[in-house]
Amino acid sequence: MAQIVDSFGSPVTIKNAQVASWVAEMVALTKPDHVVLCDGSEAEKQRLTEIAVAAGVLIPLDQQKLPGCYLHRSNPNDVARVENLTFICTPTKAEAGSTNNWMAPDEAYAKLAKLFDGAHTGRTMYVVPYVMGPIGSSLSKVGVEVTDSVYVVLNMRIMTRMGRQALDMLGESNDFNRGLHSVLDCNPDRRFICHFPQDNTIWSVGSGYGGNVLLGKKCLALRVGSYLGKKEGWLAEHMLILGVESPEGEMTYVAAAFPSACGKTNFAMMIPPKRFKGWKIWTVGDDIAWMRVGDDGRLYAINPEAGYFGVAPGTSYKSNPNAMKTVLKDTIFTNVALTADGDVWWEGKDGEVPDELTDWQGRPWKKGSTEKAAHPNARFTAPASNNPVKSKFADDPEGVPISAIIFGGRRATTIPLVMQAFNWTNGVFMGATLGSETTAAATGKVGVVRRDPMAMLPFCGYDMGEYFAHWLEMQSEIAYPPKVFLVNWFRQKDGKFLWPGFGENMRVLKWVVDRARLRVGGQETPFGWVPKAGDLDLSGLDISSEQVDAATSIDLDEWRLELESQGEFFEATGPTMPRALKLQRELLLARIESMHGKWSVG
Ligand code: TSX
Ligand code: MN
């Protein structure tokens, strides 16, 4: 077997016997020319960056303007997660549930072992130990990913606590996630992302794209994590975490789940408008929350990640100034456009569209072209430490106490600006029925609503009905459950957005915080509590009261249709769908019927 070395070629040993024997097993399978154990040092980063640049994997950007920043262009056939090639490999199909692709573990191991056989020959296998979560947290998990991609290593270095600290934390324990990855020949016909939750194992082959290959993120922190959460009594969620600080210095922490294209990263880094002088938003995380019940009976959350893997298009000083400042150094850009002077560009960036660019595929591009210069799913990988509003508790092993959970979707109709659930069960119902529309809705045409419960549909590693049941069961463990809310920044009338969104969402967030702290009014409706006139602080907001009324209104006929659509989804979930949630829907329907159309808010 190839001698294990560090990135400079000096021999090293892996002290943990379990890790060493598993790596040896993977080496025997993939047959690399070289095996490099990553230690996470600065020197290693420089060495690997040189290797990546020499191989054309990374293109240096203007190092004066963007120090430590590089551009990567992926294979054009490999630009996004591949849900149809993502499998949950549990002993029975029922455990994976109706919303996941399933393969029997033996079959999956056999099928992928054929692809992995000799996959690293002629290449270097990088052994990447990493921690998801703050060092020293009881919630944190160790993983080891072996990969033939130096791009993966450099991204993992930003997104996780990578290197020596992970093996130190693991000690002699056998409790680590086993991640095997090869880009192979990047052929979609030989591309599979397989999760073996019972073995704490992930095998990913045939892709080099973020979500498929940075195994700590969606694969471990969400799919395997949600399975472990059910087993161990905690929650692995597709949620941002933010802290709201009042002018008096009072901190309130909120976790929020939104399906894609709802501006999760923007919300996590939001800057309050002028009217909210002295208020501050602090980012704990922008994508994933791991939550456990603390000794004091409250729900505590950590962000398992150490960086942001954000969508670049649409990110600007207007939509998210803090994200723009975060990507000014030590950032890897993937599939963005390149300017002649070594800067990056994407659709929706501030300022004039450049006359000429190199597009995401490396082709010349001219202003006015019908093709996009950056890929719509182009990304930045940036260290959280670059974020000017990173919470000082983001690395706290204890996590932050969550006072409110917000679910949100992109809905042109039906869902009002904000509603508070009556109780935990009703809140789980709001999460379980979460829906979002395809972004064609920008034209004013109502898009198709896709159910994306808790924004976890592509990320739950087991049966959805069982997952809802776990949420419901959590109530008996949490003495002080967070208050639950549903929001919608995307309500429309005549093809126009009714709510200004972005920083103005602070007005909604303030109501959420005040409700969680039991100090602001509300109006009871059949669907939840909503702000009554005067509860939402709208001072200094340049929109008409009619527009606010339209954004917050509730229409019984629209809701009747909504509940029908929710019913179809509940049916599709199958026999594990909890009775408590079916009854929530029935009760709501019965309430609407008893009103005979005679009802309005306020
Ligand atoms: O991220 C968004 N948020 C959350 C911000 C904290 N976006 C961007 C789209 C998702 C990637 C939004 N888009 C939001 C929002 O709250 N709201 C909208 C809809 C909207 C779009 C443009 C305007 C207003 C609302 N423009 C003007 O009012 C000028
Ligand atoms: Mn996400």
Side-chain angles (χ1 to χ4, degrees), residues 266 310-316 319 334-337 345-349 372-380:
N266 297 344
V311 175
T315 307
S316 66
S319 67
T334 301
N335 293 343
V336 300
W345 193 84
W346 49 76
E347 279 71 18
K349 205 179 176 212
K372 292 207 181 330
H375 189 277
N377 194 33
R379 298 279 171 155
F380 53 79

Side-chain angles (χ1 to χ4, degrees), residues 218 238 264 287:
K218 303 301 189 183
H238 192 199
K264 220 163 123 193
D287 196 38

Side-chain angles (χ1 to χ4, degrees), residues 269-291:
M269 300 180 179
M270 185 176 78
I271 297 176
K274 275 201 193 74
R275 162 68 188 80
F276 284 80
K277 196 164 173 290
W279 290 80
K280 283 222 63 160
I281 301 298
W282 300 100
T283 315
V284 178
D286 82 324
D287 196 38
I288 301 175
W290 282 357
M291 302 190 284

Side-chain angles (χ1 to χ4, degrees), residues 81 217-218 222 238-239 258-260 264 286-288 305 309 379 455 459:
R81 285 185 297 104
K217 193 177 176 64
K218 303 301 189 183
L222 288 177
H238 192 199
M239 291 180 178
F258 298 84
S260 60
K264 220 163 123 193
D286 82 324
D287 196 38
I288 301 175
E305 303 191 281
F309 184 65
R379 298 279 171 155
F459 304 118

Side-chain angles (χ1 to χ4, degrees), residues 261-263 266-267 270 318 410 489-490 497 499-503 505:
C262 290
N266 297 344
F267 191 51
M270 185 176 78
K318 230 178 128 197
R410 176 185 279 267
W489 317 134
F490 301 94
F497 290 111
W499 181 249
F502 300 95
N505 294 339

